[in-house]
Amino acid sequence: MKIYISADMEGATGITDVWQTMNSRPEYSFGCKMQLHDVRAAVEGALAGGADEVFVNDAHGRMINLDINGFGTKVTLLSGHSKALGMIEGCEGSDGVFFVGYHAMAGSAKAVLDHTISGATVFSISLNGREVGELGVNAAVAAEFGLPVAFVEGDDALEQEVRLMLGDQIEFARVKAAHGRLAAECLTPEDSYPLIREKARRAVHLLKEGRAPKYDIGDGSYDLRITFHTTAQCDEAMLIPVLERIGGRTVRICGKGMAEMRMWANAIISLAGTGNR
Ligand SMILES: [Zn+2]
């Protein structure tokens, strides 16, 4: 059995501030350390549960945060960017997905570092009428490759989002309780490591028993809408001719195939970001 881990940073143990996740800040070394800490716990749990191999995709920022030293055997690290499918690149061919260090969607109340793909650019994203965050769009891509989600790690707001989307079967490691966007009660690494490890171990059993949930992708047709913070960002996005503008700050693209929709989302958001001034 092969486990795929998409590793973000904002949801990792002890992280509460955006400076800890920005490579231009001295606090960033703490962010890297804690992301690595949590990913290693999840890898160890997956292998303890009987996984034969683990594929880790570094999914935060420039995607070169994780130090490959110490991962040991049976692990592959996908490091760097750009990657066509970004945070969910390389999931095909595995048996199930873990989301580690994830965070709630933009606009969630009392959620550590809530945002969706780009905090500076994206106000909200909806997929077939349902508002989704990074976890939702990435889980939808995974589902198109036939993959369930078995394990998620992050704060209490993310847990609520995950339970509403994917139900109660999923194994969730709650490593912090948010008091706001930039404050949370955090488990210590000494407590979060065994928690993540155990939930990840159990998640492999969920997969073996066929009980892990998949995102409902219906008939595979999609209506993807992205609302930006400003009309200037929307103006830039509209340089892509296939987009339909359905509001001052909102674009829509319809199509088939979630992998392609995910690529569109990355392209649209990157281009819209040039309007950040
Ligand atoms: Zn991130």
Side-chain angles (χ1 to χ4, degrees):
M1 174 169 279
K2 180 178 177 182
I3 299 297
Y4 176 88
I5 296 179
S6 174
D8 205 353
M9 186 182 284
E10 290 87 347
T13 301
I15 292 178
T16 59
D17 194 283
V18 69
W19 286 0
Q20 295 162 335
T21 69
M22 289 170 65
N23 63 5
S24 56
R25 300 290 317 183
E27 293 83 357
Y28 170 70
S29 61
F30 173 77
C32 288
K33 184 176 163 189
M34 299 322 295
Q35 182 195 30
L36 183 63
H37 172 272
D38 291 6
V39 170
R40 287 178 71 167
V43 167
E44 205 177 294
L47 294 174
D52 304 298
E53 52 178 319
V54 182
F55 186 100
V56 179
N57 179 21
D58 194 333
H60 172 78
R62 289 178 63 85
M63 305 180 167
I64 51 167
N65 316 284
L66 291 167
D67 183 345
I68 197 166
N69 288 294
F71 269 119
T73 58
K74 301 183 184 173
V75 182
T76 302
L77 175 64
L78 175 58
S79 181
H81 79 296
S82 278
K83 299 178 276 207
L85 291 176
M87 303 177 80
I88 195 72
E89 174 97 349
C91 69
E92 63 273 24
S94 59
D95 297 290
V97 171
F98 290 6
F99 293 114
V100 173
Y102 265 58
H103 51 83
M105 69 176 79
S108 303
K110 287 178 71 175
V112 174
L113 298 172
D114 64 298
H115 68 280
T116 302
I117 302 178
S118 167
T121 307
V122 176
F123 181 83
S124 65
I125 293 183
S126 82
L127 190 60
N128 292 347
R130 165 193 232 167
E131 198 171 344
V132 287
E134 291 172 21
L135 193 129
V137 289
N138 293 331
V141 176
E144 193 166 271
F145 289 115
L147 304 179
V149 180
F151 171 77
V152 180
E153 183 233 351
D155 71 0
D156 54 337
L158 180 66
E159 180 169 16
Q160 213 175 3
E161 185 178 315
V162 167
R163 300 278 179 220
L164 277 172
M165 191 178 5
L166 294 166
D168 289 329
Q169 288 285 348
I170 215 155
E171 294 289 347
F172 193 97
R174 186 175 56 249
V175 299
K176 49 200 171 191
H179 283 218
R181 177 174 165 75
L182 300 172
E185 290 173 41
C186 305
L187 291 187
T188 64
E190 291 77 8
D191 282 334
S192 73
Y193 198 95
L195 175 71
I196 295 164
R197 186 185 184 282
E198 175 57 15
K199 298 270 183 174
R201 188 189 68 77
R202 282 195 226 163
V204 176
H205 288 281
L206 266 191
L207 289 168
K208 283 182 178 165
E209 293 159 9
R211 291 190 293 120
K214 274 186 205 144
Y215 187 96
D216 181 4
I217 54 170
D219 69 353
S221 348
Y222 300 99
D223 175 326
L224 176 78
R225 300 177 188 210
I226 303 177
T227 299
F228 305 105
H229 292 294
T230 70
T231 49
Q233 291 165 337
C234 202
D235 289 344
E236 297 296 340
M238 285 306 296
L239 296 174
I240 298 174
V242 297
L243 296 187
E244 181 189 354
R245 191 166 188 161
I246 58 169
R249 294 178 301 184
T250 304
V251 296
R252 173 166 73 165
I253 183 164
C254 297
K256 281 207 165 265
M258 192 55 212
E260 189 178 318
M261 297 307 276
R262 183 71 176 85
M263 289 167 74
W264 272 120
N266 277 347
I268 294 164
I269 292 163
S270 292
L271 187 57
T274 63
N276 294 348
R277 50 180 174 255

